[in-house]
Amino acid sequence: PDKSNKATGSMVMTAPDGEIVYNGELKQIKGRGNTTWLDAKKPYQIKLKDKADLLQTGEKKNAAKTWVLLTNAADPSLIRNNIVYDLSVAMNMVPGIECRPVNLYYDGEYRGAYLLCEKVEINKGRVPIEDLEEAFENANPDVTDFDALTVKTGTTAGGTVYCYCEGIKNPKVLTGGYLLEMDTAARAAQEKCYFTTTRGQNVVVKSPEYCSKEAMEYIASYYQEFEDTLYHAGKNPDNQKTLADYMSVESAAQCYIINELSKNPDGYRTSSYLYKD
């Protein structure tokens, strides 16, 4: 099946004690994932009509419309992702990802054991940073179809090549927030806005999905300066700034520890997220 296929419907979710957690419209269900999508057991992303705290955390900020259903298809124990996400919360990572195991029934058939997770997205209860995508939408009320915008290529002074959307106006502030994903060249090329560093790392701008030339110039240059600092023993050769000037060293250390403990082959290579407020 095609991962881009989408469907609508209704959804009922019950807790182990029978309590109704959600009973309402399902605005969308679609495929997700990269390697995991190739398995027979498919992962999904769902979007509810109304915000709901599906994990029953009791915190208002954790109510959301979009959720992810992971298959754990490569894990016979079905608990590795659960343990790693719980570890991120226990280590006080910002943000940690909360989750819970569920049994999935879809179109009247039992589909198996899944892991219901928070989606990595800009939201108060998820990645709690400024929503630059919303700012771009507000600055461009006349743009009815962002997908129809022409994509062009530019190059920063530092040599980073980037793709941007032509014909959109900038909001007042372009310094944040950005949600980025380190990715492979083939996957990045399928996105609207991304950049490739001088050392060949491809980084997709997940949010804002549609960036102006100025926005891409800013975030691509910032990342290139960070990369140059990293590869020069933590001190930028041009401006003498240190790693701490570009990133939270504690956050990077926490993420590194979790990737090492879980033996994650994608760590700091692909499917790895970064954000800038």
Side-chain angles (χ1 to χ4, degrees), residues 1-6 30-34 37 43 190:
D2 190 336
K3 189 172 68 173
S4 64
N5 288 346
K6 301 173 184 177
K30 66 176 183 178
R32 70 166 306 280
N34 294 310
W37 179 252
Q190 297 174 15

Side-chain angles (χ1 to χ4, degrees), residues 82-186:
N82 205 150
I83 290 172
V84 172
Y85 288 153
D86 285 353
L87 180 60
S88 74
V89 174
M91 290 177 66
N92 295 318
M93 287 192 70
V94 181
I97 295 180
E98 296 186 89
C99 62
R100 72 183 301 177
V102 296
N103 285 309
L104 178 66
Y105 295 82
Y106 181 26
D107 282 349
E109 294 182 27
Y110 177 60
R111 304 290 176 161
Y114 278 72
L115 190 64
L116 176 68
C117 303
E118 295 180 300
K119 176 181 170 62
V120 179
E121 62 178 355
I122 296 177
N123 205 326
K124 288 182 180 179
R126 298 194 172 173
V127 182
I129 62 173
E130 192 73 24
D131 193 341
L132 187 55
E133 183 164 303
E134 183 179 18
F136 263 110
E137 291 172 356
N138 292 337
N140 294 273
D142 54 327
V143 179
T144 56
D145 185 4
F146 282 88
D147 273 326
L149 293 171
T150 301
V151 176
K152 290 199 169 184
T153 304
T155 306
T156 68
T160 311
V161 178
Y162 60 86
C163 292
Y164 67 95
C165 294
E166 188 181 42
I168 52 177
K169 299 172 186 175
N170 290 315
K172 291 182 179 180
V173 179
L174 289 176
T175 52
Y178 294 90
L179 181 62
L180 311 175
E181 181 184 11
M182 301 171 78
D183 217 334
T184 63

